[in-house]
Amino acid sequence: MIVFIPLYAAYKKVPVYETFIEGAKDGFGTAINIIPHLVGMMVAISMFRASGAMDMMASLIRPLFDGLGIPSEVLPLGLLRPLTGAGSLAFTTELIKTYGPDSMIGRIASTIQGSTDTTLYVLTVYFGAVGIRRSKYALKVGLFSDFVGFFAAIIICLLVFGT
Amino acid sequence: MVNYIWLFFIAVSFIAAIINGRMEALTEAAFEGAKSGVTVSFGLISVMVFWLGLMRIGEDAGLLRKIAVLLQPVVRFLFPDVPKGHPALGYIMSNMSANILGLGNAATPMGIKAMQELQKLNPEKETASAAMCTLLALNTSSITLVPTTLIAIRMTYSSAHPAEIVGTTLAATLIATAAAITADRWYRNRYKNKPPKWKDRDSIDTGTGSDNGTSAKSRSSGDSLTLDGQGKGEAVV
């Protein structure tokens, strides 16, 4: 991949280095843009954990989901994901940091984060750009697919990585 | 909504800290969180810069267009009321291709362009047309081959297999997308003013298509067809 793409592009007469730099600038901008979001969310989550609130909440929810084998730690992610891309990314990062990227929770969080999109943001941007005020059933469909994606991600991870 | 969630985290943390007597730890945790937020972002920069640079080369070499061609039959099926050869279809295909490759930044402008083209076909300028809702459904559940950012974060935390979630992510997005398309079709048919009799199915919301019974039939068996189309796309990739 790393070798093939530049070679193919060179064959297509693309100025590979300049193009790479152009795209790389984009990547830099994206990474810089999410810093405030990551900081804001991680402060809140870190406080939530340190104060013992996380444990209190988890012990409340745990009986509901333990029966199904779903780790309750990923539940807040399901709430955050449709609302805020950077916020849920921060939450996912926090989970990966705490439990490790190769833990079941880390894998499930990664899959959830990768397989759904920030429905509210997409709706606002796309419809806002053309002046649509009434979105009919678009929001319902988007949230429904987030819901399905969330549980699909959990079930698939439990099946694939489960012991 | 995000405001409430954020506030909830902080307010509940404060109360819990009082109950559990962890006030000092709370302040420390706040600064610790801020620090790790920045650390993570910097870890992301290297991978994002490299990957998006590479993907831009691919984009300019016409890889996006190649994928777009593969998507053509799928797009024709999903947007029956957009006339053949309309510029909107091209933008929709580019938008989907960019999503599949995990190029969020390229997908958004393409999606907006597609929306603007669909708006030209839309009789009611302030209400979303059926095609617009379909495009939105595709974007909120977009099929992802390469979850770039996620792989970057997993690398930052030295995962043994940073890319092991590619398969699970693809499977979950396929399911979510199938759900979105199914729901979209269901609502689309429900929102038609007329009762859903097969004979009445030849008039379409935008009033541009000249559909007939055959496409109405394909619509009724939408789910299986959709999955077929996606299966094909997957196989080719």
Side-chain angles (χ1 to χ4, degrees):
Chain A
M1 194 92 156
I2 294 170
V3 180
F4 168 77
I5 292 178
L7 280 178
Y8 176 78
Y11 163 76
K12 287 261 170 184
K13 305 244 183 324
V14 173
V16 272
Y17 183 73
E18 278 98 339
T19 313
F20 177 84
I21 299 298
E22 273 308 302
K25 278 182 189 160
D26 238 17
F28 184 74
T30 311
I32 292 293
N33 281 338
I34 59 174
I35 290 182
H37 293 274
L38 278 169
V39 169
M41 269 296 160
M42 283 191 145
V43 165
I45 297 159
S46 172
M47 285 167 73
F48 199 68
R49 180 165 288 126
S51 67
M54 186 78 96
D55 298 334
M56 289 159 99
M57 201 169 100
S59 59
L60 280 177
I61 314 176
R62 189 150 289 147
L64 286 174
F65 288 88
D66 263 11
L68 303 167
I70 297 172
S72 45
E73 287 82 354
V74 298
L75 290 178
L77 187 59
L79 281 179
L80 279 173
R81 191 68 191 91
L83 302 172
T84 156
S88 57
L89 184 65
F91 197 89
T92 302
T93 310
E94 177 73 17
L95 287 177
I96 289 176
K97 186 180 141 196
T98 311
Y99 299 100
D102 299 326
S103 66
M104 182 57 88
I105 292 174
R107 286 160 169 170
I108 291 180
S110 307
T111 306
I112 292 171
Q113 179 71 31
S115 61
T116 49
D117 209 324
T118 318
T119 299
L120 282 181
Y121 166 82
V122 174
L123 190 121
T124 312
V125 169
Y126 280 25
F127 282 173
V130 289
I132 295 283
R133 302 258 293 276
R134 282 184 293 277
S135 60
K136 279 206 302 214
Y137 47 85
L139 181 62
K140 274 188 249 175
V141 171
L143 291 177
F144 172 70
S145 86
D146 285 337
F147 181 81
V148 171
F150 177 73
F151 283 104
I154 293 174
I155 292 163
I156 288 166
C157 280
L158 290 174
L159 287 176
V160 173
F161 302 118
T163 42
Chain B
M1 191 66 192
V2 179
N3 296 322
Y4 289 118
I5 293 183
W6 199 69
L7 205 62
F8 167 85
F9 272 128
I10 290 182
V12 172
S13 304
F14 182 70
I15 295 164
I18 293 172
I19 296 171
N20 300 327
R22 295 190 188 171
M23 274 323 267
E24 269 179 36
L26 188 72
T27 322
E28 209 168 300
F31 288 107
E32 207 42 55
K35 202 193 266 178
S36 58
V38 176
T39 318
V40 170
S41 309
F42 274 87
L44 277 182
I45 291 175
S46 63
V47 186
M48 293 290 272
V49 164
F50 172 69
W51 185 253
L52 284 173
L54 197 64
M55 280 328 234
R56 178 65 64 89
I57 298 176
E59 201 182 324
D60 280 18
L63 285 178
L64 271 184
R65 275 194 299 280
K66 273 206 159 40
I67 295 180
V69 170
L70 297 176
L71 287 173
Q72 202 143 3
V74 182
V75 172
R76 289 254 15 108
F77 161 77
L78 287 175
F79 298 89
D81 40 4
V82 178
K84 226 185 177 120
H86 193 276
L89 292 177
Y91 287 124
I92 291 168
M93 286 185 259
S94 311
N95 167 259
M96 284 170 78
S97 316
N99 272 326
I100 289 172
L101 293 175
L103 295 165
N105 287 4
T108 307
M110 289 295 169
I112 290 173
K113 278 260 199 290
M115 279 290 175
Q116 286 166 344
E117 290 297 329
L118 291 175
Q119 180 72 314
K120 290 177 188 169
L121 298 169
N122 188 7
E124 292 176 71
K125 294 299 176 205
E126 287 202 347
T127 308
S129 68
M132 285 177 170
C133 291
T134 308
L135 180 61
L136 204 83
L138 283 177
N139 271 285
T140 53
S141 63
S142 59
I143 304 167
T144 315
L145 264 187
V146 196
T148 328
T149 318
L150 258 286
I151 294 175
I153 291 176
R154 295 171 63 80
M155 283 169 133
T156 311
Y157 288 106
S158 50
S159 161
H161 308 282
E164 72 180 353
I165 46 124
V166 169
T168 51
T169 303
L170 182 62
T173 48
L174 283 175
I175 293 171
T177 306
I181 291 168
T182 310
D184 176 67
R185 274 293 146 103
W186 188 74
Y187 276 116
R188 187 190 271 227
N189 290 339
R190 242 187 53 166
Y191 260 75
K192 296 206 165 150
N193 300 332
K194 297 169 187 173
K197 283 180 193 160
W198 291 114
K199 283 175 217 158
D200 293 335
R201 279 296 181 81
D202 51 7
S203 66
I204 304 260
D205 289 14
T206 50
T208 46
S210 54
D211 251 291
N212 50 30
T214 50
S215 80
K217 248 181 252 164
S218 76
R219 214 168 292 156
S220 64
S221 60
D223 323 345
S224 60
L225 260 176
T226 311
L227 284 172
D228 275 3
Q230 288 180 337
K232 256 183 243 156
E234 206 188 338
V236 173
V237 169

